[in-house]
Every structure is written in C-alpha cells, then in structure tokens.
Amino acid sequence: MDNLRPTDPARIGGHRLLGRLGAGGMGVVYLGRTDAGALAAIKVILPEHAGDQDFRTRFRREAEAAGRVDSPWAVSVTGADTEAERPWLATEFVPGPTLFDIVARRGPLPVRSVTVLGRLLARALAAVHAAGLVHRDVKPGNVLLTAGGPRLIDFGIARTADATALTATGLVVGTPGFLPPEQASGNTAGPAGDVFSLGCLLAYAATGRPPFGGGAVDAVLYRTVHDAPDLDGIDDAHLRALLERCLAKDPGERPAAADLDTLIAEDAPAEDAVDWLPEDVVRIIADRSAALLALPDIDATVAEEPGTPEPGPGRRRFLLFAAGGAVALGAGALAAVRLTRDEHDGGGDGAPGGRRWIIGVHADLTGPLRAAGRAQERGVRLAVDRFNSLDDQPFRLAVKVLDDQGDPVRSARVAEEFARDPEVVAVIGPTGDEAAGAALAAYDEAVLPVLTVSALLMAFPRRANGSFFQAAPSYAQLSFPIVHHLLLRPDVERLGIVIDRTGGQTAYQGGWATNLMVPQLTTGTTHPRVVPAGTTAFGPVVTDLLSHRSDALFYAGDAAGAARVARALADRSFTGPRMVQHTVVGQEFLKRAGAAADGWEFVAPFTDASVPAAATFAAAHRKRFGAAPAAWSAEAYDVAGLVARELAALTDAATKPTASATKATTSARNATASATPSGDGRPTRSALTAAIAGARYEGISRTYAFDKESQQLIGQEAYLYRVEKGRHRYLGPAPKPKS
C-alpha cells in the first residue's frame, strides 16, 4: 500500500482514507475505514472519466451488478455513489493474494485444494447467475484466497444475461486462455460460459498452466475453439472428469453452476480449519495480510474493530486469523506487487508547481534479453536527461523501470503496475515478443501508450484502444532487405532457408516471410527446410540444401542451431552468402560457432553508434555510462524523445492556447489536445496516444511514423552487419526494396 498524496481526499462517502491500494487509467483504489472501524476498498473514478456518460453507464452497471450478488464467496458491496461528481464504489477489504499469484509463486495446488476451490467458486457463480448476471471474466486474477475460502471479485464487465455489451465492435471481452469458445469467437456468452471459464481456472490451479496454452492471443483463441484442453498431469479421475464436462465445447453439455455444488464432494472448510490449503500457501496468505494491514496511524478516537477472536496456540490457527477477511478491489488492485524499486531520474521540482511526469521502461533486465533491455533503459534515461536540460520545458520527466525478467507472466504484472500509476504517461518496451503479447491487454485497457523497439512479431493481439506502437520493422518487414541483399547479385539463383522451430514464432515468421518474398521480389527460387524443435544434427540438413543447388543460405532459429549450421557449412567449405536472423547473433552464437561464424551477415533494425547521426548521442552515452551505446539504445532514445516532444506539445496546447498554433506539432494539434487534462495539467493518456499515432519524428536511427490501421512503423529502414574475427562489423544501411 502506498501513502496518500497531497491531492488525495481525506474522506470518501463516510470512509477515512488510509492509503492507496492501486491506481490505473480509470481510477484510484483507496483503503478506507468507516467510523465503526470496518475496512473497505474504495474505487474512485478519475475526473477525466467522470464526465463521460458512457463511462458512467458502465460504472453504474458494475456497481449494480456487484450489489445484486449475495454469496459469502463473492465480492460484497458496502456502499456506492455512482452519481457523485467523482463516482465511487466500496467493497469489503480482503488482504489476500490472488490465485494467479499463488500458482505463479509455488506451482499447482493439491487435488483437495482444487476441488474445494471449485465447489465454493461454483456457489459464487450460482449466486451471480441467480441475480440474472453473467460474470464474463472468471480467471485466476479475479479470485482472492483467504484461509477461510476463496472470494470471486471484479464485476467490471458483468452484465445481465440479455443485455448488449458496451464494447467496441468485434472486441473479445474477457481474458484469453480463460474464455469459453463462444466468447473467444466474439459471440455472446451466457451462464454456461462462466462454467467453462471456471473449468479453465481449476485446470490452471491443478497444473500450473492454462488448458489451452499460451503465446499469441489469436493462437490461444483458436485452440480454445477447436482443440481439446490440455489436462496432462491431472491423475485424479473424478477431478479430470469434472473438468472435461465443464470444458465441453457445446454450452448445452456443461453442467450449470448450481449443479456443480452436488457434483463436487469437497465442502467448505470449517471456520477454524485451514487444511484445505497447503502450509506454504497459508503462510503466503498470512504474510501478505500482515504487510497490507500494517496501516498508518489514524485518529486515536477510532475504536478497534470489536469481536476479534483470540488466537489459538497453533501456528495454523494464527494464520487463519491473520488471513481471514472479506472481499476485494474491483479492478484487481490487490494483485499488484512491487516488481522492483522505482527509479525516478532526471527529477527536481521542474516547472512551476513542481510538475514531474514519468516515462516507464518495461524491460527484460535479468533474463535472456537483458543486454537489449539494459541498453533500452539507458537510451530512455539519456532522452529524459536531454529533455530536462532544456530550461523552457513546462514540466520535468522521470524514469521508472520495472524488470519482467523475460517472463510473460511477470510481464503482465509489470504492465498492470505501470497502468495503475497515474503519473506514468507512456511506457517504452517490452523487450521481447512474448512479454509484449502478455502485457498488451493491461496497457490497452488503461489506454496507456506503449512503444516497443524490439518486439517484432508480424501481429499482436487485437486491441480496442490502439495504444501500442511497434516502433521497428517486424520480422516480415526485415525479410525485404534480406532478400534484396542475398538474391540481387549475379552469383545467387537459389536461396536455401532453414526454419528451426526451436526459435519459436520469431524464427517461423522470419523464415516464412523470407521464403514468401523471394519469388515476389526476385527471379530467384528457394529450397526451404523446416526443422523440428530440438534438432541437434544439422549435417543432413546442410547436405540437402547444397544438393538442391542452394547458392546462398538463410537461417532462422536459435543461437545453438545457427552455430551448428555454421560449422556444418564450414566443414563443407561453403563460401557463398550466408545470413542469419539478427536475434541469434549474440555472444552465444559467436562462442559456439568459433571461426565458422566469420563471414555470416545479418540485417538488424538497430543502428550502430559509429554512424554520424549518432555522434552526439554516443558521446553523451559514454559520458554518463562510461561505454559506447549497445544495440537498441539509440532506438529507445528516439522513441522516448518522440514521447517527450508530443507530451510537451499537448501540454503547451492545453495551457497556452494562444501559442499552440505555432508551437504544437501537427500531430498534437490533430490529437485530442483539448480533452480535459488531469488536475496537474497533464494531458490524458488517450490524447497522448492520438498524438503519437499522428506523429512524424526524425530520430537517430530512422524516421518514426505509424500506419493508421496497424500502428506499425512505416518504412523498412534496417542495417547490415557482418561477423569478422569474432566481432560484429557495421556495414551500413541495408538495401532498401524498390518502390
């Protein structure tokens, strides 16, 4: 829990506010205490949304939906005022972790825990359905665990069974991986859809993974509609049969939530028993509860809550009292975790009034892409330094860095934390493809602009608010300069292509696009080979490529496979053009391939610090960090500079309307600069998103402009490198395709 800020109210609807539990693009969630001593989580809508009648309608619906549900296992509303100047909703407060947090931290739960969880959540859903509602977002992040049982939370997208959803056309509402097939297809889901989602949740609790896998959202949705669930590892016959019924593709074949109460044998735990959960989970619940209930001092006249039971002698009974509580935060704010320390740089009080806003860096700092993540962090810091060095800026910028460790699950939590922080105006990152895909839902919901320079998949999950910008050529776009460099020469007629599935979607998309582009861009031909993941013997593959008269070769996969192919070609004295995907040419490839790496080339979306355009940037980097810029640093510097420029233009347009005509950029003027800013003069996130979408920015590495439909970078500027004597040598701009 964070301390209250000077701009926060002291009281809301009869609650004395004690601290901030979380914040997002829509509102702030406070911890409050009534005069009688009861704790509550109070969601308060931001002023910029309070005037939006459509938003008020959705918020009113959420409050009404949650208020009609009567179950000890579901969130209980304690108060609301949806017509206030700043609408608010209060619920009982539960100091417990989410099911998602528990499984991510300790792995699958035992069978008894899963079955107890299933029966109690089925009762919660039965109450939801009895109230004439469909929850539509049953997932591990919307279930809080206490020693006394689970609590179903967040009715933000619940609706009456016959109501029309207030969503954008074609938008899939809910969480991929826990949606029923009918909802994954974009259709309406009824109560049976909640039962399917419960089946997904219980399978996740029992195995530690969603039953329809992860990865790209489109792929997850496809598997949900067409594939059988993955229930491997569930050996209990009764539980497995129950899940198979809940996960039936046909809604009519699923049991009703009320019927599950008789189909599951395990009952609710007794009031003084916590043995339905493993000891380590109870300890986590107790530790989380103790941390969240370390409340700040309040008026001495407020009495302690009466009726608190005396703890018994055993540790597990103590844990019951420490963890047992009531319910939750509407927007999942309780699930927030501090993933690393905040690192606010370039601060100072800044402009008059001490305005300082934050650019977030969502990066892999300790995982497999840590070199790229650290380089991007440094690039953003230098851009913020440069902005803050100018005396006439209307505010100062700071940097907040969170590490996702290259883990998609952690990436989603990083995105949620950034989205909740109202001072974060934009985010640079994530570093990797899977991390980006996992984070986009949270960013899109908060309409928080996020710009990635190194997540390069051809397509990411469909988004409603268009706040994600791919500020570098995709793997498909990079195939254009690859094909031009390899085949537009007299000595090459056929390109051998190795697509090593060990490299995942990165390799598949890069290799597939290259194979597709060869006949479209040249008169040459290809001989493609798709190699199963885990292949270690590449000699036969190379022999096949050469026997089919391949004059040049392109490898898409991972570093180990690239090194094996390089050695196999060297053994056969192949000296023709050889290219490899830029994602695999790090130190691992150089070390494994040894001398066989020399002569290999790659096309990359990142520039080199030696280019004249980067001279000033490189000098500043050396001065601050004591080293030359690494790959991806200049690109992060560029996009952070773009964000800063558009933010300054919007601020100027909002605070100095007479000067905006000459000072604001075209993109900022075309954006919703007149949208109601926050109380400190900060433009809304949606206004900044619109400004970035219409921007044109001359950076060190390229010109940045975005396609209006896809919001991908326009243009295919890339750079050519060659391995020489165990090091990368920059050769210059890669060949551009002819228009």
Side-chain angles (χ1 to χ4, degrees), residues 602 604-618 622 628-635 638 700-702 718-722 727-733:
F602 61 94
F606 49 78
T607 191
D608 185 79
S610 64
V611 300
T616 302
F617 164 74
R622 289 188 183 93
W632 302 112
S633 187
E635 288 70 29
D638 281 348
I700 294 171
S701 59
R702 58 176 52 89
Y719 305 93
L720 185 62
Y721 295 81
R722 179 185 296 134
R727 302 186 64 173
H728 301 148
R729 178 190 169 198
Y730 175 66
L731 301 180

Side-chain angles (χ1 to χ4, degrees), residues 20 75 138 159 235 269 329 375 389 452 462 533 676 697 700-701:
R20 280 175 165 239
V75 62
V138 178
R159 62 180 180 85
D235 298 325
L329 320 182
S389 69
T452 181
R462 180 166 28 174
T676 303
Y697 184 78
I700 294 171
S701 59

Side-chain angles (χ1 to χ4, degrees), residues 223-238:
R223 291 193 292 268
T224 301
V225 174
H226 299 285
D227 292 357
D230 174 13
L231 301 179
D232 288 350
I234 301 179
D235 298 325
D236 184 86
H238 180 76

Side-chain angles (χ1 to χ4, degrees), residues 51-124:
D52 184 335
Q53 291 306 311
D54 286 342
F55 185 89
R56 272 189 183 266
T57 298
R58 289 192 294 271
F59 186 70
R60 188 181 301 115
R61 183 184 64 192
E62 175 184 353
E64 292 173 351
R68 290 204 300 271
V69 177
D70 183 15
S71 171
W73 315 115
V75 62
S76 176
V77 174
T78 60
D81 188 349
T82 60
E83 310 308 318
E85 182 178 357
R86 292 190 64 184
W88 59 271
L89 171 71
T91 66
E92 293 178 274
F93 175 68
V94 170
T98 67
L99 175 63
F100 175 88
D101 287 340
I102 290 296
V103 175
R105 179 168 175 175
R106 61 92 62 194
L109 297 177
V111 169
R112 180 166 186 263
S113 299
V114 175
T115 50
V116 170
L117 188 68
R119 186 164 196 181
L120 300 186
L121 290 178
R123 292 178 179 178

